[in-house]
Amino acid sequence: MRQSGTNLPKVGRYNRAVVLDRIQLADGISRQEIAQHTGLTAQTVSGIVRKLLDEGIVREDGVDRSGGGGRPRTRLRINPGAGNAVGLHFDPAELTCAVVDLLGRPLITQRRPAPLGTAPADVVAAMADLVRDVLAEADLPRSRVLGLGLACPGPIDQELGFVVEPPRLVGWNRVPLQRMLCEATGLPVTIDNDATAAAIGERWAGAGRGVANFAYFCIGTGVGGGLVLNHQVYRGGSLNAAEFGHTSVLEDGPQCYCGNRGCLETLVSPEAIVAETYRRLQQQPTDTVLLEPFRRDPDMLNHAVVRVAAADGDPVAAAVIDEAAQRVASVVVNVVNVTDVDLIVLGGRGIRHVEQRYVDAVATAVSTRPLSRHIRVVEVTHSPLGPDAAVVGGAALVLHHIFSPQLSVLLPN
Ligand SMILES: [Zn+2]
């Protein structure tokens, strides 16, 4: 898929980002190929590449003679060590921090429990401690660190850098997290909701590399997501797009905290999966390994136990997980019908051990239900970044902010 640059003047920053993006997404690419993919003139590409080489962000890496008799072409690659970014994922239960290189590859990752139920100031202090420890372990000079990207629960007011009443953080009303974290760490801070960050992480270093249109589903305590459309992260009017978890799948279903009824999230959440397994076990099914331990201690039942049992093929656990996967699949079909994306990436802790069951259910649905299947079948994959997608995504926010072509650069202020 071609992402066009433009040869008009005053768009140098945008063109630079288009070229850099193309080099980042390719596994070695020549100047000629960049020109073909971007529609930029050979002179424009050559000028931009010269500057990127001078700055050390890009390096020349070998010569490609496979071009079929033409002149050998020098391959260009990102110089991964030319800069680093710090990613921080704030899950209400856990803080994870990683330092990544320019290809989005984590060099050091550390995690620790989040201070639960405490004031924002205490959480920020804990975040700053963790960032300091990770940078110390990575042993990097501050000058190499381009910034800190925070992936945290939304909704987020991007303009102000505020977290606005996230559902699982009681008392967090309009917290200026971006400014607080910037003051505490001395680093420039970019902030985004965790699912969007993870989608950006997938675009830089995961399944979405080079894919023009994809949707990322993050299935965890809730269900969030991110949309990349025509190579751009689609954010929507209030910058909170892709709330897949609050799509209504049962009109008269349970009330959701968001105000809607029968939201996907209320039906596939860890609590819902445990409750459904509980209900089935009370009917005394004989074909499950869960029944004996459940009789002895019903509290043994939790989301992870159900997932592990389903992964081992336990019929009761597998039926519950497959039902949840069907719900997710229905929403995926709606998303495919609305957005016409080429790829669905499934990630998040909530599908650990049962990734394949979710992928299979969704793949079957997208090959049989969306209208566009007659043109081509949407690909479905599990996130290669796994539970670390959000922290890699946090770091990728920084890189994305600096390097990715944003059409908004071209718009008048
Ligand atoms: Zn809802």
Side-chain angles (χ1 to χ4, degrees):
M1 179 69 69
R2 170 182 167 121
Q3 185 180 23
S4 297
T6 165
N7 295 303
L8 293 170
K10 296 190 199 162
V11 289
R13 186 167 124 73
Y14 179 75
N15 282 343
R16 176 186 148 102
V18 168
V19 170
L20 201 49
D21 197 55
R22 189 45 57 184
I23 299 171
Q24 202 276 337
L25 294 176
D27 188 21
I29 189 167
S30 70
R31 290 167 178 78
Q32 292 87 339
E33 285 164 324
I34 295 171
Q36 282 159 18
H37 282 298
T38 60
L40 293 167
T41 63
Q43 294 93 315
T44 304
V45 170
S46 175
I48 292 170
V49 167
R50 196 177 322 115
K51 279 199 195 112
L52 292 171
L53 287 168
D54 287 348
E55 292 166 31
I57 295 171
V58 165
R59 62 191 168 88
E60 292 186 324
D61 181 36
V63 172
D64 186 0
R65 295 178 197 282
S66 63
R71 260 190 335 137
R73 296 167 167 187
T74 308
R75 274 195 303 267
L76 301 163
R77 288 182 203 279
I78 294 286
N79 180 8
N84 299 90
V86 182
L88 186 58
H89 179 206
F90 173 34
D91 176 288
E94 189 178 64
L95 294 173
T96 312
C97 185
V99 177
V100 310
D101 64 19
L102 282 194
L103 289 175
R105 297 179 302 198
L107 308 178
I108 304 286
T109 306
Q110 284 190 28
R111 57 191 93 237
R112 59 187 64 160
L116 253 187
T118 48
D122 296 336
V123 173
V124 169
M127 287 175 174
D129 274 352
L130 179 57
V131 169
R132 192 174 46 243
D133 291 352
V134 165
L135 283 176
E137 194 188 337
D139 196 21
L140 289 171
R142 273 283 168 128
S143 58
R144 284 269 296 278
V145 180
L146 300 165
L148 167 65
L150 174 66
C152 69
I156 289 162
D157 187 325
Q158 283 273 352
E159 217 163 293
L160 299 172
F162 279 25
V163 175
V164 185
E165 298 189 47
R168 286 178 300 134
L169 290 166
V170 180
W172 280 55
N173 302 326
R174 305 191 68 75
V175 174
L177 202 50
Q178 185 176 26
R179 179 174 55 76
M180 291 168 77
L181 196 55
C182 179
E183 283 168 7
T185 60
L187 290 167
V189 173
T190 312
I191 182 170
D192 217 323
N193 85 59
D194 39 17
T196 305
I200 292 173
E202 291 294 339
R203 183 179 184 276
W204 267 86
R209 264 189 83 154
V211 180
N213 302 289
F214 72 93
Y216 170 77
F217 275 67
C218 182
I219 299 157
T221 314
V223 178
L227 268 177
V228 171
L229 300 178
N230 196 19
H231 292 286
Q232 306 272 320
V233 177
Y234 178 76
R235 291 172 177 283
S238 75
L239 308 173
N240 288 290
E243 285 288 358
F244 303 137
H246 297 286
T247 324
S248 210
V249 289
L250 268 188
E251 238 173 76
D252 53 354
Q255 179 75 42
C256 179
Y257 67 84
C258 75
N260 195 6
R261 272 194 178 279
C263 291
L264 175 66
E265 188 167 308
T266 61
L267 299 169
V268 305
S269 68
E271 295 78 24
I273 284 170
V274 170
E276 178 59 19
T277 313
Y278 196 101
R279 192 186 67 75
R280 292 186 188 219
L281 288 176
Q282 280 184 319
Q283 293 166 356
Q284 312 288 325
T286 51
D287 56 348
T288 173
V289 296
L290 294 175
L291 190 62
E292 266 319 300
F294 178 72
R295 276 183 180 150
R296 283 198 301 275
D297 174 19
D299 286 345
M300 57 67 71
L301 204 58
N302 62 41
H303 193 201
V305 165
V306 178
R307 294 194 319 263
V308 168
D312 288 343
D314 183 79
V316 168
V320 172
I321 293 297
D322 289 349
E323 196 176 270
Q326 286 302 332
R327 302 275 192 211
V328 172
S330 283
V331 173
V332 168
V333 169
N334 290 344
V335 168
V336 168
N337 274 326
V338 171
T339 61
D340 197 21
V341 288
D342 304 308
L343 167 72
I344 299 291
V345 184
L346 302 176
R349 281 166 206 267
I351 60 170
R352 257 187 103 186
H353 310 298
V354 284
E355 296 90 348
Q356 201 52 48
R357 300 195 90 91
Y358 275 85
V359 167
D360 289 348
V362 172
T364 302
V366 297
S367 66
T368 52
R369 292 165 59 188
L371 210 52
S372 63
R373 72 181 186 278
H374 299 300
I375 315 291
R376 61 91 177 78
V377 170
V378 171
E379 211 179 307
V380 180
T381 184
H382 163 242
S383 158
L385 301 176
D388 280 341
V391 71
V392 171
L397 285 178
V398 176
L399 306 175
H400 187 79
H401 188 70
I402 296 172
F403 297 126
S404 284
Q406 309 279 322
L407 287 174
S408 56
V409 169
L410 293 175
L411 301 174
N413 287 320

